[in-house]
């Protein structure tokens, strides 16, 4: 099928459960689990599943999640639903975690920064617990495959939720599957390197390991002075001077690469390759976790970078060349068709396959098979015929990226 072959001399595993696709965060919320449906269909359509061991993820257990998260927070996440939210809010041990109200808050925030208001970053939605425990389960199983040596590269595009804190949801992230994975890796590996190419700062992972010299966190992200609306780009942290907690043994084991809007392929590649290679040389990790947030692509609904799928994938190839056990995770990505193209391309890179630019017609699912199916906001998404891997052309997107400052 389509000349897809298994890689020689190493093994790749793919961890996923299609039930995450049924979820929606709310009418116009930018996070669309539907992008994972698109990704899955491209991966299967190209026959890339023949090049990997594929595993259906099972939900993580509450105790596994307590390895990092607050016990009450885990209970709340496992019990919460739109119908139970109000009652749960009244329980004292949960109520105690409600953040103080800010006078210009547009949304009412409940315990742990969760909310049923439509404008919330972290809404409570139908099937939310299922979604959270599944993406976490997929990451933890992927981690297990790396630890046992059954996989050399393990992939979970539904994971990579880097903003979640110990007892607080943040920026569309509820459970920090990355922190949980690294905690498992630390049982066997002396040093773990975490690299984050999502357009946002990987603050949750950095914070969790700010005192830990055995984990080095390296995030590339949009960062800069206030924009014209008076806001900083989310989450507003990750300055170049931020290098881990001062005065602790963790100092110098965090690195941040703040980047202005509009960065192009050439500039990104220069930064990524010089800094990443120097970091690997100096830190000498025995395994790597790479968060591949696709909101760093040009034309992203939330991102402000201008890099192409080719360059995004080149970051994966560059890290892969070091031949260390590698966990590939998803993350952000808000222009669904580009997210799917990028992660499918990166699945091909991981398995040493090259995909044709255009999707051959015979593997394109018939569009009528999808019409009429409503995904959350009621809009029909573009059909697969438009998913060409070379759609995101160099320079073409410049006009879409606002040159705000710098
Ligand atoms: C939305 O349209 O900057 C949420 C969030 C909901 C539905 C309709 C409500 C309209 C954009 C974002 C009002 C929306 C106001 N709806 C949202 C300070 C903010 C408070 C919330 O890729 N308002 C917060 C989080 C970032 C903020 C980015 C990236 C995750 C990751 C890993 C997280 N939060 C201002 C915004 C919409 C919405 C439209 C939104 N939220 C854009 N950026 C944010 O790094 C997965
Ligand atoms: Ca980042
Ligand atoms: Zn992001």
């Amino acid at each position: 099928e389509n000349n897809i072959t298994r890689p020689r001399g190493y093994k790749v595993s793919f961890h996923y459960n299609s039930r995450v696709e049924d979820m929606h965060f709310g009418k116009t919320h930018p996070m669309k689990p539907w992008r994972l449906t698109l990704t899955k269909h491209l991966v299967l359509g190209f026959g890339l599943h023949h090049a990997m061991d594929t595993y259906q993820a099972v939900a993580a257990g509450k105790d596994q999640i307590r390895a990092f998260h607050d016990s009450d927070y885990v209970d709340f996440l496992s019990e919460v639903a739109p119908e139970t939210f109000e009652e749960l809010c009244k329980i004292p041990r949960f109520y105690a975690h409600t953040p103080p109200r800010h006078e210009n808050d547009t949304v009412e925030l409940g315990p742990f920064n969760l909310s049923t208001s439509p404008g919330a970053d972290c809404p409570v939605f139908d099937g939310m617990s299922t979604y959270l425990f599944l993406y976490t389960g997929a990451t933890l199983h992927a981690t297990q495959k790396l630890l046992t040596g059954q996989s050399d590269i393990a992939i979970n595009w539904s994971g990579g939720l880097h903003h979640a804190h110990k007892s607080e949801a943040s920026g569309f992230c509820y459970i920090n599957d990355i922190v949980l994975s690294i905690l498992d890796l630390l049982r066997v590996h002396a040093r773990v390197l975490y690299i984050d190419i999502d357009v946002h700062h990987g603050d949750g992972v950095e914070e969790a390991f700010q005192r830990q010299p055995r984990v080095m966190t390296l995030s590339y992200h949009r960062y800069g002075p206030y924009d014209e609306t008076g806001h900083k780009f989310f989450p507003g942290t990750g300055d170049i001077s931020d290098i881990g907690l001062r005065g602790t043994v963790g100092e110098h084991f965090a690195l941040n690469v703040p980047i202005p809007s509009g960065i192009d392929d050439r500039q990104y590649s220069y930064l990524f390759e010089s800094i990443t290679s120097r970091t690997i040389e100096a830190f000498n990790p025995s395994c790597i976790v790479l968060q591949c947030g696709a909101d760093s692509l040009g034309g992203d609904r939330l991102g402000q970078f201008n890099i192409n799928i080719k360059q995004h994938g080149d970051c994966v190839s560059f890290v892969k060349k070091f031949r260390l056990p590698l966990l590939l995770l998803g993350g952000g990505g808000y222009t669904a068709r580009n997210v799917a193209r990028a992660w499918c391309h990166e699945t091909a890179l991981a398995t040493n396959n090259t995909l044709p630019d255009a999707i051959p017609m015979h593997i394109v699912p018939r569009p009528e098979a999808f019409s009429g199916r409503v995904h959350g906001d009621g809009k029909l998404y573009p059909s697969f015929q438009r998913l060409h891997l070379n759609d995101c052309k160099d320079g073409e997107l410049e006009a879409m990226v606002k040159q705000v400052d710098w």
Side-chain angles (χ1 to χ4, degrees):
E1 192 176 325
N2 203 32
N3 293 325
I4 298 297
T5 55
R6 283 196 166 244
R8 274 170 176 276
Y10 70 98
K11 276 185 105 177
V12 181
S13 59
F14 189 86
H15 305 261
Y16 187 63
N17 189 313
S18 298
R19 278 190 296 156
V20 298
E21 298 166 9
D22 302 333
M23 315 297 165
H24 44 91
F25 283 60
K27 264 193 182 311
T28 60
H29 194 288
M31 181 56 101
K32 309 277 182 208
W34 158 255
R35 70 209 177 115
L36 300 168
T37 316
L38 290 180
T39 307
K40 176 188 74 183
H41 278 279
L42 278 183
V43 167
L44 297 177
F46 278 114
L48 285 168
H49 53 299
H50 297 304
M52 317 181 273
D53 297 330
T54 54
Y55 295 96
Q56 180 164 322
V58 295
K62 285 167 72 167
D63 284 330
Q64 288 180 291
I65 296 167
R66 287 191 175 106
F68 171 56
H69 289 285
D70 177 87
S71 188
D72 289 336
Y73 181 43
V74 177
D75 286 339
F76 194 90
L77 290 180
S78 72
E79 290 165 39
V80 75
E83 314 82 58
T84 61
F85 183 71
E86 235 185 283
E87 283 306 308
L88 288 175
C89 287
K90 294 178 191 158
I91 298 172
R93 70 185 173 110
F94 296 145
Y95 182 78
H97 288 276
T98 308
R101 238 194 105 82
H102 214 259
E103 55 176 287
N104 49 356
D105 271 356
T106 49
V107 293
E108 184 103 37
L109 292 177
F112 312 105
N113 199 28
L114 299 174
S115 173
T116 47
S117 304
D121 273 353
C122 300
V124 171
F125 55 87
D126 270 324
M128 182 169 117
S129 306
T130 307
Y131 166 79
L132 303 178
F133 286 75
L134 279 178
Y135 79 64
T136 305
T139 295
L140 293 179
H141 192 236
T143 307
Q144 224 45 49
K145 290 288 148 188
L146 293 174
L147 282 172
T148 58
Q150 292 174 81
S151 305
D152 299 284
I153 302 179
I155 304 174
N156 172 23
W157 297 130
S158 65
L161 286 309
H162 59 177
H163 297 306
H165 301 283
K166 182 180 162 68
S167 51
E168 191 188 282
S170 169
F172 321 159
C173 305
Y174 304 74
I175 294 174
N176 202 317
D177 59 307
I178 308 167
V179 170
L180 293 170
S181 166
I182 294 174
L183 288 172
D184 279 350
L185 292 170
L186 284 174
R187 293 165 187 269
V188 168
H189 290 275
R191 284 174 304 281
V192 181
L193 174 62
Y194 172 67
I195 308 173
D196 185 317
I197 60 170
D198 189 289
V199 75
H200 298 96
H201 175 219
D203 59 347
V205 185
E206 180 185 304
E207 182 191 70
F209 297 112
Q210 60 181 339
R211 304 162 183 275
Q212 174 55 276
R214 292 171 57 209
V215 178
M216 178 108 182
T217 59
L218 168 58
S219 176
Y220 297 83
H221 47 266
R222 171 74 178 86
Y223 181 88
Y226 295 100
D227 65 17
E228 65 283 311
T229 66
H231 292 96
K232 278 201 166 183
F233 192 73
F234 188 86
T237 50
D239 190 81
I240 196 161
S241 63
D242 170 5
I243 54 164
L245 197 59
R246 268 169 228 280
T248 73
V249 287
E251 187 172 354
H252 300 296
F253 291 93
L255 273 182
N256 285 291
V257 187
I259 299 170
S261 62
I263 187 172
D264 66 21
D265 289 350
R266 217 189 83 260
Q267 297 164 325
Y268 197 92
S269 144
Y270 172 74
L271 281 178
F272 186 82
E273 299 197 355
S274 52
I275 296 170
T276 302
S277 55
R278 193 65 195 87
T279 303
I280 293 174
E281 233 175 80
F283 183 61
N284 190 27
S286 52
C287 71
I288 300 180
V289 177
L290 177 58
Q291 195 267 22
C292 304
D295 47 6
S296 42
L297 293 171
D300 188 82
R301 181 176 157 194
L302 297 190
Q304 300 180 2
F305 287 174
N306 197 19
I307 69 171
N308 289 277
I309 287 169
K310 164 85 165 59
Q311 175 52 44
H312 201 272
D314 284 354
C315 295
V316 175
S317 298
F318 188 80
V319 172
K320 176 174 173 271
K321 280 212 290 271
F322 290 89
R323 293 175 168 276
L324 292 167
L326 177 61
L327 177 60
L328 293 179
L329 299 173
Y334 306 99
T335 299
R337 60 189 184 281
N338 290 340
V339 178
R341 284 189 271 251
W343 289 346
C344 178
H345 172 55
E346 287 159 18
T347 307
L349 293 174
T351 57
N352 241 350
N353 283 288
T354 309
L355 299 179
D357 259 357
I359 297 165
M361 284 309 280
H362 75 278
I363 67 159
V364 176
R366 284 178 305 121
E368 55 270 30
F370 297 89
S371 63
R373 200 168 155 203
V374 171
H375 290 275
D377 54 14
K379 268 196 307 231
L380 284 175
Y381 284 81
S383 72
F384 289 89
Q385 277 89 340
R386 288 212 264 146
L387 287 167
H388 299 289
L389 289 169
N390 60 350
D391 206 29
C392 202
K393 286 209 187 69
D394 210 338
E396 205 175 70
L397 295 156
E398 249 126 350
M400 301 170 68
V401 179
K402 275 196 292 177
Q403 297 287 335
V404 191
D405 46 326
W406 301 64

